[in-house]
Amino acid sequence: MTTATNTRRGRLLVAASALSALVLSVSGCADRSSETAEGTLNVGQISDSVAFFALHVAEERGYFEEEGVELGERPRLGTGAKVAAALQSGSIDLGAGVLTDALNMHGTDDSTRLVSNLVEKYYVDIIVGEDFDGPAEDASLEDRIAALEGTKIGITGPGSGTEALVNFLFEREGLDAENDAELVNLGGDPAGALGALESGQVDALSFFQPVPQQAEATEVGSIYISPVRGDIPDLENPTHGVVFANESVLENKSDEVAAFQTAIERANEDIKEDPEIRELLAGYMEGIDEEARDELLPLMQEQLPPEPGFEQGSVETALEFHEDTGLVSDPPGYEEIVPEDLRR
């Protein structure tokens, strides 16, 4: 392991310690129980991103109510750390985020478990501006990564999945993103990220969907490296978008959680098969061009898990990615974080 990698992992461990302090300061104890009434679940999520479209579908089509659970508070909390803190405090029962958030929470509360599988692809791409002077998109992955050396790359922020993808790609070719590129923290606003790319503030973006599709639809940039497209053999089908909770909620609200899971499964089937889902997607992503939505929907359908539960290979691919990139220093094993009834 290189000195640079050790340095970066040291920074991430400090960040993880800060997250632990935040979670514990809010919670007071790791096993605080739900504050919601019987038959109700408060469900928080980071944002209205691609990963959480199934929740929107299930709400709009009344599936939660039909399955016997009422959704109470539905906050958009902005970051995975805030989702974890809300779970620990008992103000929400379930949290929708990415696997990174669940693994970080497991570091402070080993009763953390996965509840629903939302996305089984790594839906972050490298996007380059129209003036990018590098090999074409059909060049080898090695050549495309090398072309990013010395560039300014926009990410959402430190310790994020967007930073992790850059780290992963650079380390794959013996580079160090901290020293061999300039990572620019842009926050999570898609419009701001695209503006930074168009203005030349950054040469490239490492950003989540639908930013890549919107970049191409508006001719601001093009997708250069895409895990979803199959560009990275080491990163095929990792578990990414998830709903998670702690064991006390799973035990004390088992009927409500089961109803929630069934509603999500119904929504996922609709996304895969119902042609009318385009209308719901248009309402969910009002600021996205129609061309970008048309490009996005087939990808969203492909990214859904093929069946309910968590496939062991997908989870273990994701766990290895988190450990290799330093996002999580000591991730739990598959059986530690996936309940027995969700293993496949």
Side-chain angles (χ1 to χ4, degrees):
M1 188 180 297
T2 66
T3 301
T5 301
N6 275 325
T7 301
R8 181 166 53 258
R9 292 194 177 191
R11 289 191 300 107
L12 289 164
L13 286 171
V14 171
S17 298
L19 171 61
S20 300
L22 170 62
V23 169
L24 291 174
S25 67
V26 173
S27 65
C29 62
D31 60 354
R32 184 168 178 176
S33 59
S34 169
E35 296 178 352
T36 53
E38 184 178 351
T40 302
L41 289 174
N42 287 345
V43 183
Q45 62 193 64
I46 296 175
S47 63
D48 287 325
S49 83
V50 165
F52 314 128
F53 183 50
L55 280 80
H56 176 73
V57 173
E59 283 183 291
E60 290 296 310
R61 295 193 163 175
Y63 292 163
F64 293 119
E65 185 177 355
E66 288 179 12
E67 296 299 331
V69 62
E70 178 181 347
L71 296 194
E73 297 295 325
R74 292 283 287 111
R76 274 60 169 174
L77 295 165
T79 69
K82 290 180 180 178
V83 171
L87 282 168
Q88 295 281 33
S89 73
S91 63
I92 62 173
D93 303 297
L94 305 180
V98 295
L99 184 63
T100 309
D101 308 321
L103 296 178
N104 280 330
M105 180 167 145
H106 191 277
T108 61
D109 177 3
D110 62 9
S111 77
T112 303
R113 298 291 182 269
L114 302 183
V115 172
S116 290
N117 193 358
L118 301 176
V119 174
E120 213 166 76
K121 296 277 190 180
Y122 203 84
Y123 58 98
V124 175
D125 290 340
I126 302 295
I127 311 134
V128 294
E130 290 300 295
D131 297 329
F132 182 73
D133 184 20
E137 295 160 27
D138 59 357
S140 70
L141 177 59
E142 292 76 14
D143 286 347
R144 282 176 285 162
I145 295 171
L148 296 171
E149 185 176 1
T151 62
K152 295 180 180 180
I153 305 174
I155 61 173
T156 58
S160 65
T162 59
E163 181 189 42
L165 179 61
V166 179
N167 289 343
F168 181 78
L169 292 171
F170 274 51
E171 288 181 9
R172 191 178 188 275
E173 299 306 315
L175 299 171
D176 172 42
E178 187 174 356
N179 296 314
D180 294 323
E182 181 180 344
L183 301 186
V184 181
N185 302 326
L186 298 175
D189 177 44
L194 290 170
L197 185 63
E198 186 173 26
S199 68
Q201 179 185 349
V202 297
D203 305 300
L205 296 171
S206 176
F207 247 74
F208 47 81
Q209 298 169 355
V211 171
Q213 291 71 35
Q214 183 73 351
E216 293 198 332
T218 57
E219 299 183 349
V220 169
S222 57
I223 299 171
Y224 200 53
I225 301 174
S226 173
V228 172
R229 193 167 61 189
D231 293 354
I232 309 172
D234 301 335
L235 199 57
E236 291 186 2
N237 303 330
T239 301
H240 197 189
V242 299
V243 178
F244 58 107
N246 60 43
E247 274 190 329
S248 66
V249 169
L250 300 186
E251 293 171 0
N252 297 329
K253 287 186 168 285
S254 57
D255 290 342
E256 292 91 336
V257 171
F260 175 91
Q261 291 169 320
T262 303
I264 293 296
E265 292 165 17
R266 292 176 63 183
N268 280 343
E269 289 304 311
D270 284 358
I271 296 169
K272 292 176 187 176
E273 300 176 0
D274 187 349
E276 295 182 4
I277 208 70
R278 290 180 179 276
E279 296 178 15
L280 282 178
L281 182 60
Y284 186 66
M285 296 188 166
E286 293 180 347
I288 302 300
D289 285 21
E290 183 176 357
E291 180 183 343
R293 291 199 304 269
D294 288 344
E295 291 289 330
L296 186 60
L297 183 55
L299 293 175
M300 294 172 67
Q301 293 167 331
E302 180 186 344
Q303 290 162 190
L304 292 172
E307 57 184 301
F310 294 87
E311 198 271 327
Q312 184 169 356
S314 294
V315 174
E316 290 182 345
T317 295
L319 294 176
E320 183 177 354
F321 172 80
H322 280 78
E323 189 166 23
D324 287 348
T325 58
L327 273 175
V328 178
S329 60
D330 186 22
Y334 173 75
E335 294 187 357
E336 290 179 79
I337 199 164
V338 179
E340 186 173 0
D341 63 330
L342 297 180
R343 296 172 194 163
R344 60 174 173 81

